[in-house]
Amino acid sequence: MTSLEPFTTMLDLEAGAIEPERKLTERRLGDLDGLFLEPVPAERAGEPAYTVSEIPAPVSGSNLLSSTTVLQPGRVGREFHMTKGHYHEVRDRAEIYVTLAGEGRLVMGTEDGRHQVEPMRRGTVNYVAGRWAHRSVNVGGEPLIFYAVYVADAGYDYGTIEEEGFPVVVLAGDSGPEVVPNPRYRK
Ligand code: M6P
Ligand code: ZN
């Protein structure tokens, strides 16, 4: 059993910054190549896509990890900027997203091919049930900023999403974001 002493961290509710910052992961568009329908153009590979700033805790089924994600606006082709997306390695681990700023869609999918898309905007609290893969998509013109809390031993399975994708993708349409079947979904 791994236990911690209580502690407090400041979360900037506007910018999402965690103070003090402990563990920052930066993803560039090039890190997402192969996940969009279209390849990421070589000249855009270095463009910042999102950062994840974590409040660390020892990996255990009784601790909680949390992090702020700041996802930059933009598109690759008609597809909006998004996170890599993952299942939890420990499949039944759940997660909660609290959105602080921006406008997004939370795309979720199960291994038996179901999908669900939920809105993200300041004040939404999305409950990502266990066994649902999750990816956030920035459909607005500003950074999408959200705070996530998850069981510390959840772990990341990115490989299944890299191979199969989600059942749906979110594209820019004439009158706003459109959720359409993923033509490259492999089940
Ligand atoms: C949220 C949480 C994190 C995750 C991040 C980015 O903050 O789900 O665990 O790392 O989004 O998503 P991904 O890891 O799929 O790139
Ligand atoms: Zn997760």
Side-chain angles (χ1 to χ4, degrees):
M1 218 337 211
T2 314
S3 55
L4 280 178
E5 299 295 315
F7 65 99
T8 298
T9 299
M10 288 307 293
L11 168 64
D12 181 326
L13 293 174
E14 305 305 320
I18 282 169
E19 283 183 29
E21 186 166 273
R22 299 339 186 281
K23 186 183 166 201
L24 184 72
T25 306
E26 294 183 287
R27 305 265 195 212
R28 296 178 184 277
L29 277 184
D31 299 322
L32 303 174
D33 197 24
L35 295 173
F36 293 102
L37 294 175
E38 293 186 10
V40 172
E43 66 275 13
R44 293 189 63 196
E47 204 178 295
Y50 60 99
T51 58
V52 180
S53 177
E54 187 184 291
I55 300 177
V59 169
S60 117
S62 33
N63 290 331
L64 297 173
L65 284 172
S66 65
S67 56
T68 298
T69 302
V70 180
L71 174 57
Q72 297 305 320
R75 282 159 35 185
V76 173
R78 284 179 59 206
E79 204 171 3
F80 290 105
H81 281 183
M82 61 195 192
T83 58
K84 286 165 72 82
H86 58 272
Y87 285 97
H88 290 152
E89 225 161 57
V90 182
R91 281 291 192 269
D92 66 357
R93 297 313 195 228
E95 181 156 353
I96 280 182
Y97 280 9
V98 180
T99 297
L100 307 178
E103 190 195 352
R105 299 288 183 273
L106 175 54
V107 175
M108 293 171 282
T110 61
E111 286 185 294
D112 56 7
R114 289 187 297 149
H115 73 271
Q116 193 166 325
V117 180
E118 294 292 325
M120 297 175 76
R121 61 175 178 275
R122 185 168 174 83
T124 56
V125 180
N126 305 114
Y127 189 91
V128 180
R131 306 189 185 285
W132 285 79
H134 36 291
R135 161 181 287 163
S136 19
V137 180
N138 186 343
V139 300
E142 303 293 325
L144 175 67
I145 304 176
F146 60 96
Y147 179 67
V149 185
Y150 35 103
V151 185
D153 70 353
Y156 296 92
D157 168 9
Y158 290 111
T160 305
I161 292 300
E162 280 164 7
E163 282 164 30
E164 300 179 355
F166 281 84
V168 293
V169 293
V170 187
L171 304 180
D174 290 338
S175 49
E178 289 172 5
V179 177
V180 302
N182 176 2
R184 282 179 35 201
Y185 181 56
R186 272 185 289 167
K187 200 59 240 178

